[in-house]
Amino acid sequence: MSIKPILYQNGKCRMIDQRLLPAREEWRNYDDYRGIAEAIRTMVIRGAPAIGVAAAFGAAFGARDIEAAGFEEFYRKLEAICSVLAATRPTAVNLFWALERVKRFARHHREIPLSSIREGLLELAVKMADEDERTNRALARHGNTLISRRARILTHCNAGALATAGYGTALGVIRAAFESGKEISVYADETRPWLQGARLTAWELQRDGIPTTLICDNMAGHLMARGEVDCVIVGADRIAANGDTANKIGTYTLAVLCKEHHLPFYVAAPLSTIDYDLADGSLIPIEERGREEVIRHGGVELAPAGIAVRNPAFDVTPARLITAIITEAGIIRGNRSGDFLDPLKPFQKKNVADD
Ligand code: MRU
């Protein structure tokens, strides 16, 4: 059984601290929005769908503590709480999508007692977590139809159960293929600098008994050139309306390599990852993280003091390099001009939940 990294129990959220894996499995409890904002910012919880779900719980816990004379005051305070949660990480749209959904729920139910809105927001967060796992299982079933019997699949970062409320997106497809009896194997990119691949993907897949080989990021081209990779599947943090996709730094490099080696490059993501407001990937905000992650690891200096460092956490893969986007609504392929503008349009309504 794949792990669920965020659980709701007795009015609190429990999250496995992903900064400590695989060395230590420590769970932390949260029952206020500031704590959850900090958990997202410091990457106790990470991965686009997972931070969306965590933010929904944060907003619900915040709403639980709001003192207000009427709806207008309640809503102003809720908006302020959502702004704190939204300021934690900039790239994954699921965070903003989830907070919009929370605010829309409150507005739609403005006529009911505040106590019922508060309860409803907690129920909504629980529903979003359940929905996320169901969505992943649905997209995984679709994705499995693309996977051959003995596929050697390369993945980057961690788009697994740990990055979602359960089962995973890219790793969901891999799980579905494995569970359906296919003799697949996985290459997990280590994913410098935060090592989501080495620490989290390798841990998750090994735990499920899925044959996995860890490689450094710079080894993918060599393996492809030798015919040892059949396809690449990654997750997504934000997909623009034309299909350009932001995902963990290094994803773009893999897509270019796939083109050179005529290998399919798949993006697996829920429809909530599509940002229809952004025409193309150049508009996606890219998080730049601190220098420490690049120059130091586990307390060991990896570079000379004072060296200039860049640390963009995500890159954008142009739609023309993406073979297909795997969603819960099915597999979406680009059009002849290499973008996904028309193919993605029919799903725009489904991207907005009506609670
Ligand atoms: O910085 P992270 O670890 O939050 O980045 C995560 C990724 O880039 C994942 O690939 C993406 O969120 C998809 S998760 C299903």
Side-chain angles (χ1 to χ4, degrees):
M1 250 267 283
S2 64
I3 191 163
K4 289 178 198 280
I6 175 164
L7 304 167
Y8 178 64
Q9 282 169 355
N10 307 325
K12 292 188 168 88
C13 255
R14 275 166 66 70
M15 297 185 203
I16 190 163
D17 190 337
Q18 301 195 26
R19 299 168 305 181
L20 307 178
L21 288 170
R24 292 209 307 277
E25 292 178 32
E26 271 182 31
W27 290 81
R28 309 206 174 283
N29 291 325
Y30 297 93
D31 61 2
D32 73 300
Y33 79 94
R34 288 193 191 280
I36 290 192
E38 193 58 7
I40 298 172
R41 200 185 59 74
T42 58
M43 297 184 49
V44 169
I45 189 152
R46 35 63 53 198
I51 63 180
V53 169
F57 277 110
F61 292 165
R64 195 167 58 183
D65 298 336
I66 291 175
E67 285 178 19
F71 180 80
E72 296 308 326
E73 192 188 352
F74 173 84
Y75 190 71
R76 260 201 322 279
K77 290 183 173 170
L78 181 65
E79 275 188 314
I81 288 165
C82 289
S83 302
V84 171
L85 289 158
T88 50
R89 296 194 71 192
T91 303
V93 76
N94 310 61
L95 174 64
F96 311 103
W97 177 89
L99 292 170
E100 264 321 303
R101 193 166 163 185
V102 163
K103 288 190 274 184
R104 204 168 44 241
F105 177 93
R107 288 195 305 271
H108 279 182
H109 297 88
R110 60 189 307 144
E111 306 301 344
I112 67 174
L114 290 182
S115 57
S116 306
I117 299 183
R118 289 191 184 96
E119 257 170 53
L121 287 174
L122 263 178
E123 282 163 15
L124 177 63
V126 172
K127 173 172 150 188
M128 281 163 72
D130 293 346
E131 222 177 66
D132 184 59
E133 182 170 351
R134 273 202 310 279
T135 297
N136 294 336
R137 287 181 187 274
L139 75 81
R141 273 194 300 276
H142 291 301
N144 187 17
T145 63
L146 298 168
I147 307 299
S148 58
R149 276 218 79 73
R150 292 197 171 78
R152 294 154 305 172
I153 305 165
L154 193 147
T155 188
H156 190 68
C157 191
N158 172 267
L162 286 167
T164 62
Y167 205 68
T169 56
L171 297 195
V173 175
I174 287 168
R175 278 199 169 90
F178 183 73
E179 286 163 5
S180 68
K182 292 180 183 170
E183 293 160 38
I184 56 151
S185 56
V186 179
Y187 285 114
D189 265 359
E190 66 172 346
T191 319
R192 276 272 292 153
W194 213 73
L195 303 178
Q196 285 92 335
R199 298 192 306 101
L200 308 179
T201 295
W203 179 79
E204 230 193 272
L205 293 181
Q206 192 181 56
R207 215 168 160 262
D208 281 8
I210 300 177
T212 302
T213 303
L214 177 65
I215 58 170
C216 299
D217 299 330
N218 49 7
M219 297 172 185
H222 172 70
L223 295 178
M224 287 181 186
R226 294 173 68 125
E228 294 182 32
V229 175
D230 296 307
C231 67
V232 169
I233 311 180
V234 295
D237 287 86
R238 197 184 297 225
I239 302 173
N242 72 341
D244 291 351
T245 294
N247 190 50
K248 182 53 56 195
I249 193 78
T251 301
Y252 169 51
T253 317
L254 285 175
V256 173
L257 280 172
C258 280
K259 182 171 190 220
E260 169 67 14
H261 295 97
H262 309 290
L263 294 172
F265 179 87
Y266 300 120
V267 170
L271 293 175
S272 54
T273 305
I274 305 170
D275 187 345
Y276 287 94
D277 291 338
L278 299 188
D280 63 59
S282 68
L283 301 166
I284 300 176
I286 300 295
E287 178 180 9
E288 286 265 353
R289 297 179 59 82
R291 53 185 278 116
E292 291 303 305
E293 289 178 355
V294 177
I295 59 166
R296 200 162 291 134
H297 188 72
V300 177
E301 306 287 331
L302 305 173
I307 191 76
V309 167
R310 283 288 305 273
N311 187 12
F314 300 93
D315 59 25
V316 175
T317 299
R320 64 175 183 282
L321 297 180
I322 298 171
T323 311
I325 300 176
I326 303 164
T327 74
E328 69 272 31
I331 292 160
I332 306 172
R333 289 180 188 270
N335 59 29
R336 282 215 190 99
S337 58
D339 68 42
F340 286 70
L341 267 178
D342 295 330
L344 284 178
K345 250 187 210 141
F347 302 101
Q348 188 158 4
K349 268 219 179 92
K350 288 193 188 164
N351 168 294
V352 182
D354 190 16
D355 299 299

